[in-house]
Each structure stands twice: as C-alpha cells, then as structure tokens.
Amino acid sequence: MKTLVLSKMDVPGLVEALGETARLIGPRKKEHQFVFGQITKPEQLALEYPTTILPPSRQLFPNDEPLVRLRLDDVAASREIVEGEKTILLGVHPCDVQGINILDEVFSDSPPDANYLTRRSQTIIIALECQAPCSPYNLCFDKGTYRLEWGYDLLMIDLGDRYFVFTRTGAGEELIGDLPFFRAATPADREALGRARETQAGSFKTRLAGPVNRLPNALKEAYDDLLWEAVGRRCLSCETCTNVCPTCYCFDVADEVELDLVNGTRCRQWDSCQSCTFAEVAGGENFRPRPSERQRHRLFKKEVYQYEKYGRSACVGCGRCSAQCVASIRLNEMYNQVLGG
Amino acid sequence: MLDTAPISRKSLFVPEAARILDVEPLTAREKLFRVSLNDRPLGHRPCQFVEVSIAGIGEAPISVSSSPASSEIFDLCVRDVGTLTQAMHRLEPGDRIGIRGPYGNGFPVEKIIGKDLLFVCGGLGLAPLRSLILHCIENRASFRRLTVLYGAKRPSERLYREELAAWAKDERLDLRETVDVPEEGWTGNVGVITTLFRAVEVDPLETVAVIVGPPVMYKFAVLELLQRGIMESRIYMSLERRMRCGLGKCGHCQMNGIYVCQEGPVFCYSDVKKVKEAL
Ligand SMILES: Cc1cc2nc3c(=O)[nH]c(=O)nc-3n(C[C@H](O)[C@H](O)[C@H](O)COP(=O)(O)OP(=O)(O)OC[C@H]3O[C@@H](n4cnc5c(N)ncnc54)[C@H](O)[C@@H]3O)c2cc1C
Ligand code: SF4
Ligand code: SF4
Ligand code: FES
C-alpha cells in the first residue's frame, strides 16, 4: 500500500488522463440530484456529492443487460454476449464500494456469472471517503460501512485543498503509475489525515437503537410481528426500494426481437421481490401475495438469509431505500422497531 | 480490480440446441415432447428440470419426465399456460428448442434403496414423478413395495393414460387413481387424493413417501402420511416455485433463504418443516 497526495488543482488533469485510458464513470449533477455517469470533461465531475439516485454497482449490473445473441431460425447459432470494457469508477463512497463487493460475492458464488464478472474484472474503483453523513437516512456509521478496509483499488480522503490517497491493489498503482499528479505523502499530510479522520468520526452519529449484530436474531424473532402488516398497508409495491439498492440483484430474463424477425437478444432485466407477481406460478398460486410478506422478505434477505449464507449483512446502509420511498417507509424505523427502540 | 480465478467467459445463459423428435398430445392441455440434445445425452437425475427456450419467446423451467437411464432422448410434458408453453405447443417434430440444464438437486435415489415406496401425485405432478417411478420400475429389485397414488381433476385430464393402463396391470407396482370430478365412462374412485390413502396398507417403519402435486396438496398429504406413522425424514416432496435462472441468482424461487432451483426442488419434510414459506 502506498500513501500519496493529490492536489485538488490536479483533479481536472487526472480526469482527462484517466478518460484517455478507460471509460471514466463518476458522480455528475442531474438537475438537483446526482447520478453516476460517464465523465468526458473534467467540469462534469462533482466529487462533493450526496448519495446518488442509483448506486454505482448498477454500472456493473445494468438493466436490460444483453446475455445471449439469438437467431430465431437457429438455436445452435445462439452466442453469448460476455462483454466488458476497461472502466474506472471514480469517487465511489465507501458504502457503495461495499455494495459492489457484495454483488461480487453473489455473482462469483457457484455457478459464477461470466456476464457480471467479465465486466467487473475490467473495472477499477477509486473510492472517496465521506467527511460527513451524506444522507439523513444512511446507516453507514451503525453498519461500519463509512470507512473501507478492502474492495477498492485507490481510496481518496478529502483534506481540504488536497486528497490523501491510499493505493490498495497493483491495478490501482499501475493506473496512476506514470501520472504526474501524485506525490508521496509527508508527515504533515499524515497529520492532516489524522485530523480529518477525527472530525469525520465526530460528525457521524448512530441512528439505530441497538447494535447491528443483533439484527439477524431480532428480525427472526419478529417474523410474525405486526410491524410487517403496518408496513404492508402503506407499501405501494412500486419497487423503488429494491431498484435503488446497491446490493439488490434479483432479475428476470426476457427475449427482445429485432425488426427483421430473425435476430434477437436474451436480456437480463432488473426485477424486484416487491413486485406482486415475483413469486407467482402457473395455476395462480402466489407464494408472497401480500406487500407485508414482500417487505419482510426484503429485510430478511438483507439481514438474515445473506447473513446465514455469507456471514455478513447485505445492507450497506446507504439510505437510498428510505430516502426514495414514496410511502415514507424508512428502513431505520423498521430496524429500530425490531431492535426495540 | 476483482481478484478471482480466471473467469470462464462462457455465459451460463446460452442454451444448447435440441431437436424435437416426437410430439404427442396427452390431454387437451398437455403435450408430450420427445427431445434430444444435439451434442450429448442430458444426464439427468429423477425430478430434475431443464430451462426450455424458444428464441424470441423466452424460457421456462420444465421437469424431465423420463427415466434417467435413457437420457439420449428425454421427455418433457408441457401444459400450455402462457407465452413459452403455448409457443411450445405449436412446435412439431423436427423443430428445435434450446435447453439449459439439467438443474436442481434431483431425487436422492441412493437413500431409498430397499424401502417400500409410496408415490403421491396430483395433476401435473406426475410429469416430474414419472422420471422417478420409471427409475424404480427399471430397478425393481432394489425396492420393496411400489405404490402409486394419482389424483387428477377429471378423467380427461389424466396424463400418460396408456402408461397408466399398463401400470394398472403391471404386478411390479400398485397403482391407485382417483378423480375429483367424474366424467362419463369413469368407473374408478372419485374424491380428493387423500381418500386413496385410507385404502393403502403402509408399513410405517419401512416406507418412504414422495409427494408431487399442486401447492395446495402438500399440507394435506403430509398430514395424512404423518398420521400413518411415516417418519418426517422419510417424506420427500418436490416443490414448485417461480424460476427464472435455475442458477441460484435471480431470486424468484426463494423460499425464505433457500434457493429452490439449486437446493431443491426435492426436499425432505424434516428439512423444510420449519421453513415458513415452504408449505
Ligand atoms: C421446477 C419446475 C418444474 C416444472 N415442470 C413443469 C412441467 O414439467 N410441465 C409444465 O407444463 N410446467 C412445468 N412447470 C411450470 C412451468 O415452468 C410454467 O408453467 C411456465 O414457466 C410458464 O411459462 P410461460 O411462458 O408459458 O407462461 P407466462 O406467460 O410467463 O405466465 C403464465 C403463468 O405462468 C406463471 N409463470 C411464469 N413463469 C413461471 C416460472 N418460471 N415458473 C413457474 N410459473 C411461472 C405465471 O405466474 C403465470 O401465472 C415447472 C415449474 C418449475 C419451477
Ligand atoms: S419504495 Fe416504498 S412503497 Fe415502493 S415498494 Fe419499496 S417500501 Fe413499498
Ligand atoms: S437496503 Fe436500503 S439502506 Fe440498505 S443497502 Fe439497500 S438501499 Fe441502501
Ligand atoms: S430460479 Fe433464479 S434463483 Fe432460483
């Protein structure tokens, strides 16, 4: 691991240099909100941004992702579309980096998903630590996801006029290897880093009524709680909470046919466990017909099922589901209810 | 960058080409397709399924209905309920379809050797269960009694009628049938499938039961079997869920934390009785 420093004055130069070597994706302003999108000019990059509408993990798991090229007249001519191009995700907040790490684990799990992993293997992540909570709903302090230990290539920490930069991987070091914008960190930089981290720690607050490691058991005990009924009455099953979540990965597969009626594409589309037909089978049986059951499933999948399978939560606490729910259903309130707060 | 073993660039979603050799209507709604993969035998276990696709239409999970012994040519019994299955009903011998799989755990045949077997199937449940029944008939000496209870809604909805007639005469197994709604010419039992249980003699310590049917059937059938003294760990069932990928990824088939497409569709009752979304 190297410790480097990047002056903020050099960010435009860096953006131009990176843009020449790869597809550069970073936070951009979109009306009064922020999104991850391609950065072709330095002025498009908005590194001081609150939580984006969609998480950057969706760049690796795009909607309508082509999986198979089809010939309608010949099944044997089906060809996989496993594509990826060298991509740099710049300015990714720690919770979102961990969202990507979770998708990595799910898609690497047997059988590994070549479509996702090929794209992922060509992606470099330049993370950016938040100096203060970036959403009123985030749980990153409770979840410990406001800082990063691994899963990134480079990590930037704002020191006011400059960024402190950690390199984590060989790929990260290689990326900035010959660029003139970085210099080795000095003791003064390290001191500034210590102060920034102290301010940072002081600005985050716990939002939950109990420790997160109690969530799996607390939820299991609350399986038949009236909470789900109460939430289910308000939920509109609009699927927003799952579509904006960095770690949701449920999908559907559907064929798209071109106008020539000969060529087509089998595509993967985002799907949501909140959709009323998600668990319906032929004959009309629906295994989760009620919004209350679907909301419970969403939380259990994050905190119980993935905990049992992978030994970790699948909620990185980004706060998007709470912030964007049209029915004002807040994850932190639901968690607090089961934690007894 | 992600540290993984070298990534296979082979997508899991590419179907293999298969040819339809024969199509036979079984009822007004179900057709039997005899299918052969171009490049290899399917190599399935009883109660596994494949993802069948038609380019431009889509995919659907369909159980393999034939014995594992003959997987050069395998059977798919398809009910026309929607987009893919209706398109399939329009296909003819010589047409080609895409196949992914076989998927799912399949039936643990090694665990039931030497036992009395009691098969309980309702409606389309005979499609997957037939693969296991045929396996047991072919390996008759490995098992003690073979009893098949089959319930259909109407006589005209009975699948594999010629085979059922042959099984009825076959001394190697004891087939008992019932229908919910009789039609002209039906001389057999009338009533739901649980009515058949009462007439069957069961040796509770030696019996393994296997249930496959519509979702509503399981609870009643399990209850009936438990009342006959059959052990929870000897009651197997194949559970249906919506499935998209068959790969443990898409989330559709999840039953609490269990991915039915991979960990199932065959489960032992003792393993799922505490899984709240199971039955
Ligand atoms: C493990 C397994 C084995 C099966 N074996 C057989 C079989 O041997 N023969 C047979 O005829 N059917 C079988 N089915 C059911 C079959 O998969 C569905 O009928 C089929 O997917 C419907 O697809 P469609 O495009 O024709 O219908 P659609 O137009 O997609 O929908 C019609 C109806 O089917 C339901 N449905 C849609 N997709 C699925 C899905 N993936 N799984 C279950 N239900 C779905 C919908 O909720 C709707 O009610 C099996 C299902 C599973 C999960
Ligand atoms: S965003 Fe809110 S209303 Fe929409 S499905 Fe999620 S919880 Fe329900
Ligand atoms: S569940 Fe909500 S807070 Fe947790 S990662 Fe998903 S969107 Fe973010
Ligand atoms: S069918 Fe997709 S996860 Fe089981």
Side-chain angles (χ1 to χ4, degrees):
Chain A
M1 184 184 289
K2 282 190 196 159
T3 50
L4 305 168
V5 167
L6 167 72
S7 161
K8 284 195 177 170
M9 309 252 281
D10 286 330
V11 171
L14 176 67
V15 165
E16 278 180 349
L18 294 178
E20 276 165 25
T21 66
R23 195 169 66 108
L24 181 65
I25 305 284
R28 299 176 50 157
K29 201 160 172 38
K30 185 180 181 188
E31 289 166 25
H32 60 285
Q33 289 182 297
F34 291 83
V35 296
F36 272 88
Q38 189 159 3
I39 306 289
T40 51
K41 293 188 220 89
E43 57 272 25
Q44 294 167 331
L45 183 71
L47 280 180
E48 280 171 41
Y49 70 101
T51 318
T52 51
I53 302 175
L54 289 181
S57 54
R58 299 274 167 177
Q59 299 285 334
L60 295 158
F61 174 58
N63 195 15
D64 239 348
E65 172 187 12
L67 299 173
V68 185
R69 178 95 50 232
L70 301 168
R71 290 274 310 184
L72 271 55
D73 52 357
D74 184 6
V75 211
S78 311
R79 290 289 173 268
E80 61 219 324
I81 310 173
V82 175
E83 52 192 24
E85 56 181 307
K86 193 170 173 203
T87 300
I88 299 166
L89 293 177
L90 174 61
V92 184
H93 287 169
C95 62
D96 282 340
V97 172
Q98 291 169 72
I100 294 172
N101 297 346
I102 285 171
L103 289 193
D104 291 350
E105 188 165 20
V106 168
F107 284 112
S108 316
D109 201 355
S110 174
D113 186 294
N115 296 86
Y116 175 90
L117 293 173
T118 303
R119 193 173 295 109
R120 177 67 178 93
S121 68
Q122 296 178 57
T123 303
I124 289 194
I125 298 175
I126 306 179
L128 172 66
E129 224 169 65
C130 301
Q131 292 311 105
C134 68
S135 146
Y137 300 107
N138 54 18
L139 301 172
C140 52
F141 186 68
D142 295 86
K143 294 235 158 209
T145 51
Y146 72 118
R147 283 189 187 161
L148 271 177
E149 303 284 335
W150 56 279
Y152 61 89
D153 296 285
L154 301 171
L155 170 64
M156 315 200 315
I157 295 149
D158 196 333
L159 298 183
D161 60 343
R162 62 199 189 282
Y163 291 105
F164 199 97
V165 179
F166 288 100
T167 66
R168 170 81 204 190
T169 63
E173 282 179 18
E174 209 171 285
L175 181 73
I176 57 172
D178 304 328
L179 298 178
F181 312 112
F182 297 85
R183 63 166 173 82
T186 63
D189 296 320
R190 264 186 268 280
E191 222 168 274
L193 173 70
R195 279 195 305 275
R197 282 256 162 104
E198 242 167 70
T199 324
Q200 182 204 36
S203 66
F204 281 88
K205 281 184 190 52
T206 173
R207 297 193 206 274
L208 292 183
V212 286
N213 60 13
R214 267 187 47 215
L215 275 173
N217 278 334
L219 279 163
K220 277 204 253 182
E221 280 161 26
Y223 191 88
D224 295 313
D225 203 284
L226 287 176
L227 161 71
W228 311 116
E229 206 49 51
V231 169
R233 284 200 185 183
R234 278 157 58 201
C235 175
L236 309 169
S237 302
C238 69
E239 307 171 22
T240 302
C241 50
T242 50
N243 280 339
V244 300
C245 177
T247 70
C248 275
Y249 56 85
C250 287
F251 60 84
D252 210 341
V253 179
D255 290 2
E256 288 166 11
V257 180
E258 282 163 34
L259 286 174
D260 61 12
L261 297 181
V262 176
N263 292 292
T265 316
R266 186 155 293 158
C267 294
R268 164 148 70 190
Q269 286 148 354
W270 296 345
D271 204 346
S272 168
C273 62
Q274 300 308 300
S275 125
C276 51
T277 58
F278 188 78
E280 188 186 275
V281 297
E285 185 78 15
N286 190 334
F287 294 96
R288 254 172 255 114
R290 299 154 55 78
S292 54
E293 295 160 332
R294 297 196 289 269
Q295 279 294 316
R296 177 176 62 198
H297 184 73
R298 175 167 80 94
L299 269 64
F300 270 65
K301 182 146 179 182
K302 299 284 173 225
E303 302 292 357
V304 181
Y305 307 146
Q306 293 213 36
Y307 179 78
E308 285 169 352
K309 190 161 185 195
Y310 300 110
R312 52 139 180 84
S313 156
C315 167
V316 295
C318 73
R320 286 184 179 87
C321 58
S322 304
Q324 297 187 42
C325 174
V326 286
S328 306
I329 291 168
R330 314 286 187 221
L331 187 67
N332 42 338
E333 290 168 11
M334 292 193 277
Y335 281 171
N336 277 340
Q337 201 147 328
V338 300
L339 288 171
Chain B
M1 276 207 191
L2 185 62
D3 262 343
T4 56
I7 294 161
S8 153
R9 292 184 63 98
K10 186 138 184 60
S11 170
L12 301 166
F13 292 92
V14 178
E16 285 180 69
R19 186 175 297 279
I20 295 178
L21 305 177
D22 193 20
V23 183
E24 184 191 322
L26 293 178
T27 73
R29 299 200 59 194
E30 283 94 9
K31 280 186 180 176
L32 175 66
F33 298 85
R34 292 243 138 79
V35 180
S36 166
L37 282 176
N38 283 7
D39 302 324
R40 61 172 180 109
L42 182 64
H44 65 287
R45 291 160 64 92
C47 302
Q48 279 193 305
F49 65 95
V50 289
E51 285 283 344
V52 176
S53 65
I54 300 177
I57 307 273
E59 282 190 306
I62 301 291
S63 307
V64 184
S65 194
S66 48
S67 156
S70 55
S71 73
E72 302 274 346
I73 297 172
F74 54 95
D75 294 349
L76 303 175
C77 163
V78 180
R79 176 179 289 178
D80 61 339
V81 299
T83 322
L84 187 277
T85 47
Q86 280 163 6
M88 201 155 165
H89 270 233
R90 293 191 290 270
L91 298 182
E92 291 170 2
D95 285 340
R96 295 211 282 180
I97 54 174
I99 295 281
R100 288 194 289 127
Y103 292 128
N105 57 356
F107 197 90
V109 278
E110 63 289 345
K111 288 196 186 160
I112 57 169
I113 289 172
K115 300 282 180 234
D116 281 355
L117 303 183
L118 175 61
F119 299 107
V120 182
C121 55
L124 203 47
L126 185 57
L129 202 52
R130 178 172 173 259
S131 63
L132 180 60
I133 297 173
L134 291 176
H135 170 83
C136 295
I137 296 177
E138 286 160 11
N139 298 278
R140 187 63 190 84
S142 304
F143 308 100
R144 299 203 325 179
R145 258 182 307 170
L146 293 188
T147 309
V148 179
L149 310 184
Y150 178 40
K153 196 168 273 160
R154 294 187 175 77
S156 56
E157 293 180 21
R158 295 159 65 234
L159 302 174
Y160 299 110
R161 261 171 277 174
E162 284 169 26
E163 202 160 39
L164 289 174
W167 286 356
K169 292 193 204 109
D170 194 329
E171 304 216 314
R172 292 175 295 178
L173 77 165
D174 176 8
L175 170 71
R176 310 204 181 183
E177 288 194 74
T178 184
V179 298
D180 295 348
V181 185
E183 286 166 336
E184 232 181 90
W186 177 254
T187 52
N189 294 308
V190 176
V192 292
I193 189 153
T194 41
T195 57
L196 290 178
F197 283 86
R198 285 155 211 162
V200 186
E201 212 182 298
V202 171
D203 175 355
L205 293 181
E206 290 303 325
T207 301
V208 167
V210 188
I211 314 170
V212 194
V216 290
M217 202 184 93
Y218 291 90
K219 254 185 215 157
F220 298 103
V222 168
L223 212 63
E224 201 77 33
L225 294 167
L226 291 175
Q227 277 169 4
R228 303 299 300 263
I230 298 177
M231 280 186 275
E232 288 179 347
S233 60
R234 297 243 179 98
I235 300 175
Y236 289 89
M237 48 195 121
S238 177
L239 298 181
E240 187 188 354
R241 285 296 181 276
R242 191 180 186 114
M243 292 184 187
R244 264 298 170 244
C245 66
L247 306 165
K249 301 271 191 274
C250 77
H252 281 273
C253 68
Q254 251 188 313
M255 178 171 88
N256 295 110
I258 295 172
Y259 285 95
V260 177
C261 68
Q262 293 218 303
E263 294 162 65
V266 179
F267 294 96
C268 196
Y269 176 65
S270 52
D271 290 337
V272 292
K273 71 171 184 176
K274 293 223 172 91
V275 178
K276 300 211 180 199
E277 289 180 343
L279 295 185

